Amino acid sequence: SPMAILPFRGLAERGILHDPSPYQLDLNAWSGGANVRFHGNKAMRSPIWRSVIDLSAVVPVHIVGYRPSSGIDKRAVTSTFLGDVTYINRADNQPRYYGPASTTFLPLPGWDPTWSCRVLRTYGDYLIALNVTKGTATTKSMVKWSDLTLAGLPPGSWDATDSTKNAGENILEDMTSPIVDGCSMRGNFIIYSGEQVWAMSQTGSQSIFQFRRIFSEGGLIAPNCVV
């Protein structure tokens, strides 16, 4: 006898989820796809990218991180901009900056060359390093901030022990999973782990920043996924 065809609604409801095992996904989620995008509970053909202009003939005005399947570290590249200085970071190396007088990207001054961070962002007049590694020790819930920056210059210090500077660091002991990313929102800097969301705000006092958990029901799936 012919096989019955049964309708199933909501197949495009959750889109593509790479992180869970395919065996853990519900029927309304997909483990992968090609040339497809999900929007408004619908699956549709994705745009087809075409070469528009030869970049060798112009000065590029935007850079995007390239993540090949093999050959280099595939962790996300993050970038940020503050006071006419551009910063770029990847978790396998120390952050670098490019200022008005620069001719190439250079390592951050005052940043120990044995340190690295998963994400580098800005908040107010500070650079914020998230999920920090010092030597071989990684503190996945650490928030580390620079000294105050001046226009056209990178911060001069990251030394949290120097009482003459505003640089500091804090470990969010109650955070249950590693920090994934952060983003400024109004007067706060919002810190995302995979399971929680925290707010960082300026105190206007000697302690400089205060931290509080604002959500415990969800977080961020990967860096560069919040605006």
Side-chain angles (χ1 to χ4, degrees), residues 76-160:
V77 174
T78 59
S79 61
T80 192
F81 183 83
L82 179 63
D84 212 19
V85 179
T86 298
Y87 301 89
I88 193 166
N89 176 70
R90 194 174 64 189
D92 66 326
N93 211 326
Q94 63 186 110
R96 296 177 179 269
Y97 77 97
Y98 190 98
S102 299
T103 57
T104 187
F105 277 90
L106 295 172
L108 284 182
W111 180 276
D112 191 304
T114 66
W115 297 349
S116 61
C117 62
R118 185 177 187 185
V119 170
L120 187 70
R121 298 298 184 198
T122 57
Y123 173 42
D125 294 325
Y126 297 88
L127 283 182
I128 309 294
L130 303 170
N131 196 329
V132 178
T133 297
K134 295 182 177 181
T136 59
T138 299
T139 307
K140 297 181 178 181
S141 59
M142 177 179 284
V143 180
K144 186 171 181 63
W145 58 92
S146 70
D147 193 16
L148 289 164
T149 58
L150 299 176
L153 296 172
S157 175
W158 288 83
D159 187 355

Side-chain angles (χ1 to χ4, degrees), residues 24 120 145-146 161 180 195 212:
Q24 296 175 325
L120 187 70
W145 58 92
S146 70
T161 66
V180 176
E195 300 173 352
R212 69 186 190 279

Side-chain angles (χ1 to χ4, degrees), residues 24-203:
Q24 296 175 325
L25 296 178
D26 297 330
L27 290 176
N28 59 355
W30 300 83
S31 61
N35 300 325
V36 62
R37 65 188 295 262
F38 295 86
H39 179 70
N41 292 333
K42 295 181 176 66
M44 59 193 76
R45 185 186 301 273
S46 65
I48 299 175
W49 302 99
R50 293 182 173 90
S51 176
V52 176
I53 188 171
D54 181 6
L55 283 180
S56 64
V58 297
V59 178
V61 295
H62 181 73
I63 298 173
V64 63
Y66 171 55
R67 299 178 64 189
S69 59
S70 63
I72 65 169
D73 193 301
K74 294 180 287 184
R75 285 171 289 185
V77 174
T78 59
S79 61
T80 192
F81 183 83
L82 179 63
D84 212 19
V85 179
T86 298
Y87 301 89
I88 193 166
N89 176 70
R90 194 174 64 189
D92 66 326
N93 211 326
Q94 63 186 110
R96 296 177 179 269
Y97 77 97
Y98 190 98
S102 299
T103 57
T104 187
F105 277 90
L106 295 172
L108 284 182
W111 180 276
D112 191 304
T114 66
W115 297 349
S116 61
C117 62
R118 185 177 187 185
V119 170
L120 187 70
R121 298 298 184 198
T122 57
Y123 173 42
D125 294 325
Y126 297 88
L127 283 182
I128 309 294
L130 303 170
N131 196 329
V132 178
T133 297
K134 295 182 177 181
T136 59
T138 299
T139 307
K140 297 181 178 181
S141 59
M142 177 179 284
V143 180
K144 186 171 181 63
W145 58 92
S146 70
D147 193 16
L148 289 164
T149 58
L150 299 176
L153 296 172
S157 175
W158 288 83
D159 187 355
T161 66
D162 187 347
S163 60
T164 67
K165 308 294 183 182
N166 280 15
E169 59 190 39
N170 187 37
I171 299 173
L172 304 180
E173 298 287 0
D174 292 338
M175 185 169 278
T176 56
S177 59
I179 295 175
V180 176
D181 207 341
C183 185
S184 293
M185 186 178 73
R186 296 184 178 178
N188 297 305
F189 183 76
I190 308 301
I191 302 167
Y192 298 85
S193 74
E195 300 173 352
Q196 296 179 352
V197 181
W198 287 62
M200 173 181 178
S201 57
Q202 299 190 54
T203 64

